Amino acid sequence: MNKEDFASFQRGLAQAKAYLNEGAREGHVVHDPIDVRAIREGLELTRKAFAEAYGFDVRTVEQWEQGRRRPDRSTATYLSIISEHAEEIARYVSDLARHPDAVRQETVSA
């Protein structure tokens, strides 16, 4: 390890320590993990019902909730939208499953 690498490592360590001790976020963004269980329970759905309503695999939902996996960034965004607009998203997903061509036509012409 050269001097530049070591200095960079020290700066990173100092930033991590500042974040842990003071919540400082200068120079970087911290993405807080999304709480899938809280979203699902807030909707009063079982894992199976949640997975079916929003197009997830039930095992994947289970793994997210148990901390064995994390949703990727786009899925976390989708989960955030679900938490704010649950009924509309569930209706859209249901319509898409029943009439995929009709929903696609609406989206293209909108």
Side-chain angles (χ1 to χ4, degrees):
M1 179 181 289
N2 64 35
K3 286 183 181 183
E4 285 181 35
D5 290 339
F6 186 72
S8 175
F9 177 76
Q10 284 184 309
R11 282 192 304 276
L13 191 58
Q15 288 175 342
K17 185 176 178 182
Y19 173 72
L20 288 173
N21 293 335
E22 305 155 19
R25 295 182 180 201
E26 185 177 321
H28 61 282
V29 176
V30 176
H31 297 278
D32 294 323
I34 191 153
D35 190 342
V36 177
R37 176 176 281 139
I39 293 170
R40 179 183 60 78
E41 288 178 347
L43 297 172
E44 299 179 352
L45 295 173
T46 63
R47 283 182 183 149
K48 183 179 179 187
F50 181 79
E52 289 174 357
Y54 299 105
F56 298 117
D57 182 271
V58 70
R59 283 186 228 113
T60 301
V61 173
E62 179 182 301
Q63 289 178 346
W64 290 336
E65 290 185 2
Q66 293 177 351
R68 289 190 302 241
R69 289 180 59 191
R70 286 189 187 180
D72 61 27
R73 189 177 300 176
S74 59
T75 304
T77 299
Y78 178 48
L79 287 161
S80 294
I81 294 168
I82 290 169
S83 72
E84 297 294 321
H85 306 283
E87 290 179 25
E88 296 92 342
I89 300 300
R91 191 169 37 254
Y92 184 80
V93 170
S94 176
D95 289 348
L96 182 61
R98 280 185 273 148
H99 310 288
D101 293 331
V103 173
R104 210 172 289 122
Q105 289 292 337
E106 278 182 32
T107 306
V108 171
S109 59

